[in-house]
Each structure stands twice: as C-alpha cells, then as structure tokens.
Amino acid sequence: EIVVTQSPAALSVSPGERATLSCRASQSVSTNLAWYQQKPGQPPRLLIYGASTRATGIPARFSGSGSGTEFTLTISSLQSEDFAVYYCQQYSNWPPVTFGGGTKVEIK
Amino acid sequence: EVQLVESGGGLVQPGGSLRLSCAASGFTFGSYAMSWVRQAPGKGLEWISIISGGGSTNYAGSVKGRFTISRDNSENTMYLQMNNLRVEDTAVYYCAKDWANWNAYFDFWGLGTLVTVSS
C-alpha cells in the first residue's frame, strides 16, 4: 500500500499571501496524484489531477507540481473562500486508493 | 448538472447491517466507475470501494469480506451493502464519480450519508 503523507498538518496564512502545501508518497506514483479541497460540512472538491492539471472551474491561483514522490499545491494569493482542509490522493497503484491526512489552511 | 444523492445511513448496532444507495443523474451513469469514500468524525478521507461501469469491483482491506458494492445501470444507482458493522465503521459515507472508467480519482461527490455504529 502506498502511504501518502501531507505536511504541515496546519498552516496559518494571511489573506493575499501564498500558501504552499506538501504531499509525499512512500513510493513513486509518477504524476498520478490529485488534490481536493474540503470545507466544513461539505464534500471534497477536486482541484488538481495528474499532479498539475486544474479541474474544471478551478481558479488559476491554484497550481500543482511534482512527480514521483514529492508534490506541492500552491495557492498564489489566498482568498477568504480558500480557508479549508486540503487532501492529496494517489491513484497510481491501487487498490487501495490512498489519501493523505490533510492540511488545514487557517486564517492568520 | 451532475448530482449524486446518498441515502440509507442511520444508527445500527455492532454486528448489524445497512444498505446505502447513491442515486446519480446528469451524466451517462453506466460509462463511469463509481466509488464509496468515507470520513470518520473529525478525521480524513478513506476510500473503501470502487465499481466499474461494467461491474468489476475492488475493496479496501478494512471492509473486504464485509461490504459489497453493486450498481444498477438501468436505475442509475449504486449500492453499498454493509454487513457485520463495527464501531470503527462510523463515518459519513460519500459516493464519488470517477473521472472516467477506472481512473480512481473523483470529480463529483455527493453530500454524504452518516452511518453510526453504536450499542
């Protein structure tokens, strides 16, 4: 099973600042990695797939990068609606599909 | 517009059974794999099962042998039969639409249904 680890667990950022979230896989997943955003009481929303391709309707301030075992989600200028929990997920070698533990982006 | 609506959650005793449903609309249901993903209270996401458009299935180890995923393409509905439920199965259960058929990442999610396993 591929273990996916996210860091940090929580991140305090001021509106308008950049946020950088990290995701590490225990073995190479190539670019078979997705990012999701989840707000309280809501289901997850797909942001990024293929490590760097934005899903339909996702603003350009969200960008993904990386390959192999190291990945990054960058939010270039945080808006109020971006404060949420972010999960990465590998779909390279499954079952099982595996998610990271999440990074909570909080208002500083 | 894609819509996924889960139902069937509730309170059940340990060892009991529940059947969840996911009613889909707004896309060609039979052309896409579908998954169940759960989230325990205050915790992260856990994928538990997938079914292809043609009915091939896979399961997470934590539910294999206890849960059965199925679908009725004529009714645009997916199911999760959950047997021998444990306290640790308590979670919100989401149905999720695959990007395609067997890609295993998810572009639409339902709002979820809460399953509580407790005596």
Side-chain angles (χ1 to χ4, degrees):
Chain A
E1 172 177 331
I2 296 178
V3 176
V4 179
T5 304
Q6 291 185 243
S7 62
L11 186 61
S12 293
V13 184
S14 298
E17 289 189 341
R18 173 188 294 255
T20 302
L21 288 64
S22 295
C23 176
R24 174 177 293 179
S26 60
Q27 64 190 76
S28 177
V29 299
S30 184
T31 56
N32 296 308
L33 189 108
W35 290 93
Y36 300 86
Q37 176 194 67
Q38 188 179 32
K39 298 178 181 179
Q42 296 185 18
R45 177 175 71 145
L46 178 66
L47 298 176
I48 301 283
Y49 61 94
S52 61
T53 302
R54 277 189 303 277
T56 303
I58 302 304
R61 64 180 181 272
F62 292 92
S63 63
S65 64
S67 65
T69 62
E70 301 283 344
F71 301 87
T72 300
L73 176 70
T74 302
I75 312 171
S76 59
S77 177
L78 270 156
Q79 306 298 302
S80 57
E81 61 267 29
D82 301 335
F83 293 96
V85 179
Y86 292 83
Y87 294 96
C88 58
Q89 175 230 322
Q90 70 82 20
Y91 52 95
S92 177
N93 187 354
W94 61 276
V97 169
T98 47
F99 291 88
T103 293
K104 185 175 184 178
V105 177
E106 302 172 312
I107 300 173
K108 187 174 184 179
Chain B
E1 179 193 5
V2 172
Q3 286 198 319
L4 300 171
V5 180
E6 302 94 337
S7 60
L11 175 63
V12 61
Q13 291 188 336
S17 298
L18 274 179
R19 189 195 198 201
L20 306 184
S21 299
C22 171
S25 61
F27 64 103
T28 306
F29 182 70
S31 296
Y32 293 88
M34 298 289 295
S35 280
W36 289 99
V37 178
R38 68 185 180 184
Q39 187 168 36
K43 302 297 184 182
L45 301 169
E46 180 189 15
W47 172 85
I48 57 173
S49 188
I50 189 170
I51 185 165
S52 72
S56 298
T57 61
N58 266 311
Y59 298 91
S62 58
V63 305
K64 197 168 187 178
R66 300 188 299 125
F67 291 10
T68 302
I69 193 171
S70 62
R71 66 191 295 161
D72 184 338
N73 288 341
S74 68
E75 296 290 332
N76 290 349
T77 303
M78 175 177 67
Y79 303 97
L80 186 69
Q81 177 66 44
M82 304 187 294
N83 297 331
N84 191 19
L85 282 159
R86 305 167 179 168
V87 170
E88 55 266 33
D89 294 319
T90 294
V92 173
Y93 284 72
Y94 295 104
C95 68
K97 172 187 169 291
D98 201 290
W99 177 262
N101 194 19
W102 216 243
N103 284 68
Y105 59 96
F106 316 115
D107 58 352
F108 288 95
W109 300 61
L111 295 179
T113 188
L114 177 62
V115 172
T116 303
V117 185
S118 174
S119 55

